[in-house]
Amino acid sequence: MTTSRLNRREMMAGSAALAGLGLAGSQVVAQDGNQIVLGASVPLTGVFAFAGVGIHAGIQDYLKILNDSGGIKGRTIKYVAEDTGYKVDASVAAFNKITSQEKVALYYADSTGFAKTINPELDRRGSMMMGGASFATELNDPKKYPLQFIAGPDYTEMFGILLRYIVKERPGARVAFVYSDTEFGRDPIAQGEAIAKDLKLSVVEKIVTPPGSVDVSTEVLKLRRANPDFTIFHGYVLAPIPEFITHAKQMGMRSNFMGTFWTMDNSTVQRMGEAADGFLGVMPYRYYYDKEGSAPLLEKIRQIRPEYQSTGYLQGFVTAMLMAEAIKRTVEAGKELTGANIKAGLNSIKDFDTGGLFGVPISIPGNSVPVGRIYRFDAKAKQMLPASDWIKL
């Protein structure tokens, strides 16, 4: 859909959303000395580069839209990023380099490990707010991480969204958790089990494997014996999920297989091959190709980049958008741009229209945005398509 084909209502909604995000107006863009700096540790190389490249592009695109529209009260946001290869020591070095050269108000963190490692320094400085690629449950604690936030639901909240979908589809269902033997993988398991119990779902098996490509034949036999109605994978990007699903289907299993955010990119799911058909998972944002209803910012993205953009791109774009909105509210309140004031600006977000990137208005009372939707892969359409309404926790 091009702008010329938007109806009047959609165009008015789009203008209102862009204005609300500080993207409308004709202010003169400020000179460099008046810029707000967003620093970033981004994995443009290494094992997480597939996501990092998209994240990097998403941040850049949002800031270009913002700055080209006059910025925030005439102040532009300058983006300064360093490649980290997804290594904590490199991320710390990047942080130290950028903050020694720039007055940083915002920072994007590439991993849970870095976000946790740098937190004492973040608190000590008190000069910036941090978001990033991690959805770790631990970071969703305003007392322990007062200057950090997650641009979506944390991993436990993702399990909560999946399990609420399951209980609506099949009350009393049998559920299995399959997760990697990593901090990432273990994150939501204990709390997920407690949520399942509260929802009167039975967790009939928990299977842990090394991350990446491994022989899962023994684990699939365990899964078959447990005979779950739904199987949730977490702590992986791709492998060994396709192997699990392929072997399970060959054994006649009829379980519904599900994933969490970093597995949910449409191109990633397509790489599962035949195992992808019917795969379900939780997504906080609309997909690039989703033209349902009014989504002016998503339409803007499609105009800028006519080719499919990944979930990583959307995560970077949304994180930058929420950071900018927090700055905008702080500036409008006449407050100094300190970490605490910027975070307070973020926490003032209530029933906020994100230009359609989230499918419902969002609020950020704490460190996360506990909203998501279940999507199912349609092999004929070659797309993840909605399988539920938007679920708010």
Side-chain angles (χ1 to χ4, degrees):
M1 185 192 299
T2 63
T3 305
S4 62
R5 291 173 61 193
L6 290 172
N7 64 37
R8 181 177 175 81
R9 184 179 174 187
E10 286 176 315
M11 291 187 74
M12 289 175 68
S15 298
L18 295 174
L21 293 169
L23 301 182
S26 56
Q27 304 106 313
V28 176
V29 175
Q31 297 302 308
D32 288 357
N34 202 29
Q35 285 182 319
I36 296 156
V37 178
L38 192 170
S41 293
V42 186
L44 299 175
T45 57
V47 296
F48 210 58
F50 72 93
V53 169
I55 288 165
H56 186 59
I59 294 172
Q60 288 177 305
D61 283 0
Y62 176 77
L63 294 182
K64 185 175 188 327
I65 294 169
L66 175 71
N67 293 336
D68 286 353
S69 300
I72 298 168
K73 297 287 187 180
R75 299 180 69 179
T76 56
I77 296 183
K78 177 184 177 183
Y79 179 51
V80 183
E82 290 280 337
D83 178 27
T84 65
Y86 199 59
K87 296 174 182 176
V88 172
D89 57 347
S91 296
V92 172
F95 177 89
N96 289 334
K97 178 182 176 182
I98 293 168
T99 56
S100 69
Q101 296 173 354
E102 305 280 355
K103 185 180 179 182
V104 178
L106 304 163
Y107 203 91
Y108 187 96
D110 63 350
S111 68
T112 304
F114 169 64
K116 289 167 64 174
T117 298
I118 209 69
N119 193 63
E121 180 65 11
L122 201 65
D123 289 346
R124 186 188 71 78
R125 292 175 183 237
S127 57
M128 70 192 87
M129 181 180 72
M130 179 176 283
S134 176
F135 293 87
T137 304
E138 184 178 346
L139 298 181
N140 193 8
D141 182 345
K143 290 184 179 179
K144 191 173 178 182
Y145 298 93
L147 301 180
Q148 298 203 44
F149 81 100
I150 299 165
D154 69 37
Y155 292 128
T156 296
E157 289 169 338
M158 289 183 196
F159 263 55
I161 292 165
L162 288 166
L163 292 167
R164 278 162 179 78
Y165 168 80
I166 288 170
V167 78
K168 188 174 180 181
E169 291 294 304
R170 192 173 304 184
R174 298 164 60 83
V175 183
F177 298 160
V178 180
Y179 59 99
S180 65
D181 191 12
T182 61
E183 183 180 21
F184 171 28
R186 291 184 292 271
D187 180 318
I189 301 305
Q191 291 186 65
E193 197 167 12
I195 294 167
K197 186 177 180 182
D198 288 343
L199 295 173
K200 296 181 170 52
L201 299 169
S202 300
V203 178
V204 294
E205 184 63 90
K206 293 182 292 180
I207 295 172
V208 59
T209 79
S213 187
V214 290
D215 180 5
V216 295
S217 51
T218 302
E219 285 75 16
V220 174
L221 287 171
K222 282 186 195 173
L223 196 63
R224 184 188 181 194
R225 282 195 294 269
N227 192 30
D229 299 307
F230 294 84
T231 301
I232 300 176
F233 294 99
H234 178 72
Y236 311 103
V237 175
L238 186 60
I241 296 173
E243 293 85 350
F244 259 100
I245 297 174
T246 299
H247 289 324
K249 286 183 176 179
Q250 285 172 352
M251 291 180 180
M253 282 187 63
R254 296 181 177 273
S255 189
N256 293 276
F257 298 100
M258 313 179 91
T260 51
F261 181 78
W262 288 115
T263 299
M264 290 294 289
D265 182 61
N266 199 69
S267 60
T268 301
V269 177
Q270 283 192 62
R271 285 166 55 201
M272 294 182 187
E274 291 181 10
D277 195 27
F279 185 77
L280 294 148
V282 58
M283 205 12 206
Y285 324 121
R286 295 190 193 194
Y287 280 89
Y288 168 87
Y289 47 75
D290 185 351
K291 295 185 179 179
E292 175 189 72
S294 175
L297 271 182
L298 203 50
E299 177 62 25
K300 184 75 173 175
I301 289 168
R302 289 193 288 260
Q303 290 170 9
I304 295 169
R305 295 184 183 267
E307 69 285 357
Y308 171 80
Q309 295 300 307
S310 69
T311 53
Y313 173 95
L314 292 168
Q315 203 273 349
F317 193 100
V318 168
T319 303
M321 177 186 65
L322 295 177
M323 285 177 165
E325 180 62 25
I327 290 282
K328 174 175 172 280
R329 289 171 181 237
T330 308
V331 170
E332 287 180 343
K335 294 181 179 178
E336 185 184 354
L337 291 180
T338 65
N341 286 344
I342 298 167
K343 182 66 182 302
L346 183 84
N347 288 144
S348 74
I349 291 174
K350 186 176 182 182
D351 297 328
F352 178 66
D353 179 2
T354 60
L357 294 176
F358 287 88
V360 289
I362 63 164
S363 301
I364 313 179
N367 280 14
S368 74
V369 187
V371 172
R373 190 184 208 180
I374 307 304
Y375 284 80
R376 177 187 287 109
F377 189 75
D378 183 316
K380 288 183 180 177
K382 297 184 178 179
Q383 289 183 343
M384 297 297 294
L385 299 176
S388 79
D389 291 331
W390 291 90
I391 298 170
K392 280 185 171 184
L393 300 182

